[in-house]
Amino acid sequence: MIRTILTLTLFFVAFSALAQDDLAEIKLRYPDENAVYLQNNSFLEILVDGDSLRIVNTVDEEILHLKDHSEFYGNKKVYGSHFSQISKIEAKTLIREKNKYRVEKVTDYKKNSNAGGSVFYDDSYFYAFDFPAVAANNRTQLHYEVSYKDSRILPVHFFEGFVPSVSSSFIIKAPADVELFFKLLNDDKNIIQFSKTQKGKFVFYEWKGRNLSDMKVEAGSPDLSYYTPQLVYFIKSYQGISKRHEVLSDLTALHNWYRSFVNHLNKNPSPDLQTTVAQLKQESTSELDLVKKIFYWAQDKVEYIAFEEGMRGFVPHEASYTFDKRYGDCKDMANLIVAMLELAGIKSYHTWIGSRDLPYKYSEFCSPIVDNHMIATYIAPTGQYYFLDATSDYTPFGFPSSMIQGKEAFISKDASTFEVRQIPILKKEENVMRDSMSLHLVNNEIVGKGKTSLTGFPKTFSSAELDRAGTNDIKRFVATLIGKGSNKFFLDQFKLSELHNQDKPVEVFYDFRISDYFQKSGNEIYLNLNLSKDYFNYFINPETRKTPLEIDYTYLKEEVIVLTIPEGFELEYVPEDYSYSGKFIGCKLLYDRGVNGKIILKKQFYLDSILITPADFQSWNDDIRNVSTNYKEAIILKRKS
């Protein structure tokens, strides 16, 4: 009853506010917006039913359309899944006619599967529908309920939407003896106000914000959860009829739950699986070599396919099943590695982890919101940790995949023991691009031969791209990978080596031409030997950009450029050597002057961060300015007299 009264109260506040003709004031406040939320409210009710919990979230949204071209917001999807069942959808448009509103309801709700192209099976779904008569001055209203089937699986609440909000709130109603955890994130400006009140046996926790901006998505941004105001909440414990129940009281409770997903697995491995492990063991020279061989076997032989269906989103298949089918999701592949190593007499561990899409940490939250991925962990007798993610096809043994570097791993060692350990961010010295080339000036072109070598993540990323590329796209990708000079770079021919060997660098041998790159003036030739200018003038405007900049990996790039001085010419000017080491970017330019009729530029560049926050924009720009200025230096060749 309280929930119904609260919902109606919120509705009539918004309705009466516009009835008093605040429309003009809202248009003045949001002159550039096509639409705004008048309200974007959620009311989460937690009830104890015997020894169980019933959890229902009531959502009420109301959008005021300010301009005629806001039809984009007239198409709506409401998402659900096995764990979050959608019901009681009511949608309608309030059509403004003079100073009154005429109501037109939505009558057609289409339920669809939400499986994407890379997902083999997914139990998530959505209801799709169109609001009628979406136009300036009209309002669209949406009401629905979400019932959560598992009290451990509750979503993070975001206060901002993709349009600004006049009012946004999230209220939790819970019995006083339900112990909650909650933490507000990304609210440095205190735009969300919190209050807590008790009415009888229930406690109301309310977070409310007014005049909130819309969520910003900018090129290179990390996931919205890194910078958008949000509430992380979960149930720690509650009092049932017979006893007090622990839900997510601490990491031990989370581990006990996760451990129940894998305790029963791999009791009866198939003969074929045992035979394969025995064969790999026979071929191995050491324990570490065997771990590597098993990791590469899973990486090469099992195709990654996402699979979500109820608890299958948490519970892996039996290792023998994945072995026989030769496909599986991250949980299946991790469990297969653990089982194969167990058959080989080597201990390894199921490990839960979040990808870099998620900013959350186990050291802060004992909740499944932290992770969306699973790997295996092997700890060598030396104490070195090996994080085995077979879903990343070309990642070398000993490297974490790019998407989990820097994240906390939740390692289950046995039924009662676990460890949280941070996966390192790969050092730039482990992600190396080496490029050597010899150049000649022929007429108005630079003609050159080169060799590029890639290790670490540059190899992993390029191998994956080249493997996925069609025949006609391979040359285009290689040209992008090694392209230099200007948009008149032309790749004549190339050869690839070690593309599918995880333990060796990818090598690219190539011939190329660049037209109209250097300038002639009288008896002089001006030529910039910096043919590739990493992050040249890649400034961030702190006045307009509000979100962090995410980068795939740190890296070190080494280049040797050898120019044969054209016959009849000599060096007149060579730039000074240059060295700069910034917080994020560094560069060295060392010139060998006139050696055996050649000039040699030895260049080194590094990038040493994978996330640039708004607080770092000035330091980033200082690095970019310093390096970009020195990229512009050219040598001068003068015709001999």
Side-chain angles (χ1 to χ4, degrees), residues 239-442:
Q239 182 62 48
I241 291 179
S242 61
K243 64 175 183 177
R244 187 155 195 90
H245 298 269
E246 302 295 319
V247 183
L248 293 171
S249 53
D250 52 25
L251 283 178
T252 298
L254 180 64
H255 178 252
N256 291 340
W257 185 45
Y258 278 180
R259 187 74 190 186
S260 69
F261 304 152
V262 298
N263 271 336
H264 64 285
L265 295 173
N266 311 324
K267 304 298 185 184
N268 298 297
S270 68
D272 287 344
L273 177 56
Q274 295 181 59
T275 299
T276 297
V277 172
Q279 190 171 13
L280 292 172
K281 188 172 183 178
Q282 188 175 5
E283 297 169 357
S284 300
T285 57
S286 65
E287 178 173 296
L288 190 63
D289 185 50
L290 178 54
V291 175
K292 181 168 75 170
K293 279 184 166 55
I294 288 175
F295 171 65
Y296 282 163
W297 191 96
Q299 196 180 57
D300 295 338
K301 303 295 185 182
V302 180
E303 182 179 359
Y304 170 73
I305 299 178
F307 193 105
E308 302 289 342
E309 183 185 14
M311 289 309 295
R312 261 292 294 140
F314 293 91
V315 181
H317 274 123
E318 290 282 347
S320 295
Y321 179 91
T322 305
F323 176 86
D324 291 340
K325 297 297 183 183
R326 293 293 201 269
Y327 65 77
D329 62 11
C330 62
K331 302 179 295 297
D332 300 328
M333 297 173 82
N335 181 58
L336 176 61
I337 291 172
V338 170
M340 292 179 75
L341 289 172
E342 185 74 24
L343 285 171
I346 300 172
K347 192 66 178 173
S348 63
Y349 310 102
H350 295 94
T351 302
W352 290 263
I353 194 167
S355 71
R356 287 171 57 191
D357 288 338
L358 301 175
Y360 316 114
K361 299 179 180 180
Y362 294 109
S363 54
E364 296 178 0
F365 308 115
C366 51
S367 164
I369 66 160
V370 177
D371 55 72
N372 57 359
H373 192 46
M374 193 178 198
I375 62 174
T377 300
Y378 163 71
I379 306 174
T382 60
Q384 183 173 348
Y385 284 65
Y386 291 82
F387 300 101
L388 309 176
D389 184 0
T391 66
S392 179
D393 289 342
Y394 296 96
T395 298
F397 177 70
F399 282 33
S401 57
S402 172
M403 69 175 179
I404 62 172
Q405 56 177 331
K407 300 293 296 180
E408 287 183 346
F410 192 43
I411 306 167
S412 178
K413 293 188 171 181
D414 56 39
S416 60
T417 309
F418 62 89
E419 178 186 2
V420 174
R421 189 177 186 91
Q422 185 171 10
I423 291 179
I425 296 173
L426 228 59
K427 296 178 181 178
K428 60 183 183 296
E429 291 82 6
E430 298 175 280
N431 299 318
V432 181
M433 293 176 271
R434 291 187 173 89
D435 197 8
S436 59
M437 68 199 84
S438 59
L439 313 177
H440 293 80
L441 304 186
V442 180

Side-chain angles (χ1 to χ4, degrees), residues 48-259:
V48 178
D49 184 5
D51 279 318
S52 301
L53 292 177
R54 287 194 292 114
I55 305 172
V56 178
N57 187 24
T58 302
V59 178
D60 286 282
E61 301 175 357
E62 182 173 16
I63 291 179
L64 170 64
H65 300 267
L66 300 175
K67 297 178 182 178
D68 284 329
H69 44 280
S70 68
E71 294 89 349
F72 174 78
Y73 305 109
N75 304 319
K76 186 69 178 179
K77 294 179 180 177
V78 176
Y79 292 89
S81 71
H82 170 81
F83 293 104
S84 54
Q85 295 293 314
I86 304 299
S87 63
K88 298 182 181 179
I89 301 179
E90 298 176 11
K92 57 190 173 185
T93 301
L94 304 181
I95 303 169
R96 191 178 180 96
E97 295 176 346
K98 296 184 179 180
N99 291 325
K100 296 182 180 180
Y101 287 95
R102 176 172 59 86
V103 175
E104 188 169 340
K105 295 183 178 181
V106 173
T107 57
D108 187 16
Y109 302 92
K110 293 184 173 64
K111 187 176 181 180
N112 298 281
S113 168
N114 193 39
S118 62
V119 178
F120 181 72
Y121 187 85
D122 190 342
D123 67 5
S124 63
Y125 61 88
F126 61 86
Y127 288 97
F129 53 91
D130 297 324
F131 286 102
V134 174
N137 302 330
N138 292 347
R139 296 149 63 189
T140 52
Q141 294 182 342
L142 172 62
H143 168 94
Y144 62 92
E145 292 186 359
V146 188
S147 298
Y148 296 110
K149 295 182 67 173
D150 193 308
S151 58
R152 301 176 186 88
I153 306 173
L154 299 176
V156 174
H157 180 80
F158 293 87
F159 290 91
E160 295 180 340
F162 287 103
V163 297
S165 299
V166 175
S167 177
S168 179
S169 69
F170 184 64
I171 298 172
I172 300 176
K173 173 193 172 186
D177 57 8
V178 170
E179 183 184 8
L180 292 179
F181 173 94
F182 51 84
K183 185 175 182 179
L184 188 63
L185 305 179
N186 303 328
D187 187 32
D188 296 338
K189 297 181 180 179
N190 297 317
I191 60 175
I192 307 299
Q193 304 301 311
F194 171 68
S195 64
K196 177 181 176 182
T197 57
Q198 184 161 354
K199 297 178 182 178
K201 297 180 180 179
F202 293 95
V203 178
F204 292 80
Y205 308 82
E206 180 174 5
W207 293 264
K208 188 169 186 178
R210 295 191 60 82
N211 302 322
L212 305 181
S213 61
D214 55 329
M215 293 190 289
K216 302 295 183 186
V217 179
E218 300 172 292
S221 295
D223 189 82
L224 291 164
S225 52
Y226 276 81
Y227 52 86
T228 300
Q230 63 197 270
L231 182 72
V232 173
Y233 65 97
F234 50 84
I235 299 168
K236 295 176 70 102
S237 65
Y238 67 94
Q239 182 62 48
I241 291 179
S242 61
K243 64 175 183 177
R244 187 155 195 90
H245 298 269
E246 302 295 319
V247 183
L248 293 171
S249 53
D250 52 25
L251 283 178
T252 298
L254 180 64
H255 178 252
N256 291 340
W257 185 45
Y258 278 180
R259 187 74 190 186

